[in-house]
């Protein structure tokens, strides 16, 4: 398993671009820490190669994701693995087509699907890139219509994105963004609430249904806060964190 993780997530380090590291903390409705997200990226900008490590409250990693931009930043390719359940996904975007492979859990068969990649398609964290790309329209009160890919359903869902208004977030000038959608990873969710910083348009807070299952197999509502900007960290730290074996059980996502 350790070697398999490395083969999936360890890329060639020929690029001299700096490695940036940031963290987010996800809490449940009662304020308890559900999990932490450690975000790494090579270089700045929405087209940067990215890795996300999901950590138990005690710091052990249980899931990983690796993202690369082959075309537009709002529709990246990615690989995902959650060691607890065996859930796994790969999404590859090439030539105007999306190749999906989804495995719900360790006992399930992998389901494969090919879909067209429309211009308004959004995949995973590419949603942030879409918000930044359409920032001026959103600030002018325009409603942004997108199609969000849900790999587990192997289809797109219509998403409406709109600015709510200016807010202060932990001393920062920011903008509240509302996302209305029909479904989110199998759970009916009328809206998501997001907060983006005015200064650099980075995501500060996400409130809505998580894409990680809890111990009951549900997708709970969480608030994820990214209090600090990503900072440059050494290659050795990135390598050490990426080579940690994923654990099959932890107290994360109790619900």
């Amino acid at each position: 398993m350790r070697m398999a993780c490395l083969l999936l997530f360890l890329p060639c380090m020929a690029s001299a671009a700096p490695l940036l590291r940031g963290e987010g903390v996800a809490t449940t409705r009662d304020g308890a820490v559900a999990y932490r997200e450690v975000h790494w990226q090579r270089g700045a900008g929405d087209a940067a190669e990215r890795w996300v490590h999901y950590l138990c409250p005690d710091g052990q990693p249980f899931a990983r994701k690796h993202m690369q931009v082959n075309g537009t930043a709002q529709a990246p390719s990615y690989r995902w693995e959650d060691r607890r359940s065996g859930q796994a996904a790969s999404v590859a975007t090439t030539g105007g087509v999306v190749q999906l492979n989804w495995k719900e859990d360790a006992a399930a068969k992998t389901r494969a699907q090919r879909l067209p990649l429309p211009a308004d398609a959004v995949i995973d964290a590419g949603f942030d890139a879409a918000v930044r790309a359409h920032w001026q329209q959103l600030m002018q009160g325009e409603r942004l219509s997108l199609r969000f890919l849900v790999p587990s359903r192997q289809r797109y869902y219509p998403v409406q994105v709109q600015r709510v208004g200016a807010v202060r977030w932990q001393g920062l000038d920011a903008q509240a963004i509302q996302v209305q959608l029909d479904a989110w990873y199998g759970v009916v969710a009328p809206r998501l609430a997001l907060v983006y910083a005015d200064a650099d348009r980075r995501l500060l807070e996400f409130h809505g249904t998580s894409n990680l299952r809890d111990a009951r197999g549900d997708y709970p509502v969480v608030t994820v806060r990214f209090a600090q900007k990503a900072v440059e960290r050494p290659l050795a730290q990135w390598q050490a964190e990426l080579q940690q074996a994923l654990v099959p059980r932890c107290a994360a996502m109790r619900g």
Side-chain angles (χ1 to χ4, degrees):
M1 178 57 66
R2 185 183 182 92
M3 183 57 67
C5 288
L6 289 177
L7 291 174
L8 281 174
F9 296 103
L10 188 61
C12 174
M13 292 304 295
S15 172
L19 286 161
L20 305 177
R21 185 184 189 276
E23 289 194 25
V25 179
T27 55
T28 55
R29 295 179 189 273
D30 60 3
V33 174
Y35 58 92
R36 288 168 45 221
E37 300 181 9
V38 175
H39 291 246
W40 285 90
Q41 67 183 69
R42 194 200 332 259
D46 287 321
E49 187 173 9
R50 299 168 187 269
W51 300 262
V52 184
H53 304 171
Y54 298 88
L55 310 183
C56 305
D58 63 5
Q60 296 186 92
F62 64 87
R64 284 194 180 100
K65 181 164 55 179
H66 175 213
M67 290 171 284
Q68 292 179 293
V69 174
N70 301 320
T72 65
Q74 72 179 41
S77 299
Y78 74 89
R79 287 180 178 271
W80 154 264
E81 176 188 2
D82 187 334
R83 182 71 175 85
R84 299 169 306 159
S85 64
Q87 190 178 86
S90 68
V91 177
T93 59
T94 54
V97 174
V98 180
Q99 177 63 51
L100 297 170
N101 291 282
W102 177 265
K103 186 178 177 67
E104 183 62 31
D105 53 46
K109 293 183 179 180
T110 298
R111 294 186 288 120
Q113 179 71 277
R114 284 171 64 88
L115 297 173
L117 182 64
D120 61 351
V122 174
I123 297 175
D124 201 75
F127 180 84
D128 283 342
V131 168
R132 284 186 280 272
H134 297 86
W135 187 261
Q136 294 304 324
Q137 296 97 305
L138 289 169
M139 294 305 102
Q140 292 168 7
E142 295 183 23
R143 185 183 294 245
L144 179 62
S145 297
L146 301 169
R147 279 185 273 187
F148 194 91
L149 179 67
V150 180
S152 62
R153 295 295 183 92
Q154 299 193 320
R155 57 165 290 189
Y156 297 100
Y157 285 88
V159 170
Q160 300 291 320
V161 187
Q162 191 168 27
R163 174 180 180 263
V164 176
V167 296
R168 290 284 289 176
W169 189 91
Q170 297 188 12
L172 299 175
D173 291 328
Q175 299 293 329
I177 305 290
Q178 177 177 282
V179 185
Q180 295 180 332
L181 63 169
D182 294 330
W184 183 262
Y185 292 94
V187 181
V188 175
R191 62 175 55 86
L192 306 176
L194 308 171
V195 180
Y196 286 83
D198 278 341
D200 53 11
R201 303 177 188 177
R202 68 185 176 94
L203 179 64
L204 300 172
E205 181 175 302
F206 165 98
H207 178 79
T209 305
S210 174
N211 64 339
L212 293 170
R213 295 191 300 188
D214 62 21
R216 295 189 298 268
D218 298 326
Y219 294 92
V221 172
V222 297
T223 300
V224 187
R225 297 182 178 89
F226 300 90
Q228 303 296 326
K229 291 183 180 181
V231 296
E232 186 172 347
R233 302 300 300 168
L235 173 63
Q237 182 179 354
W238 175 83
Q239 291 175 323
E241 292 188 10
L242 198 65
Q243 292 178 41
Q244 285 184 285
L246 300 180
V247 297
R249 291 177 296 277
C250 72
M253 304 299 288
R254 288 183 181 275

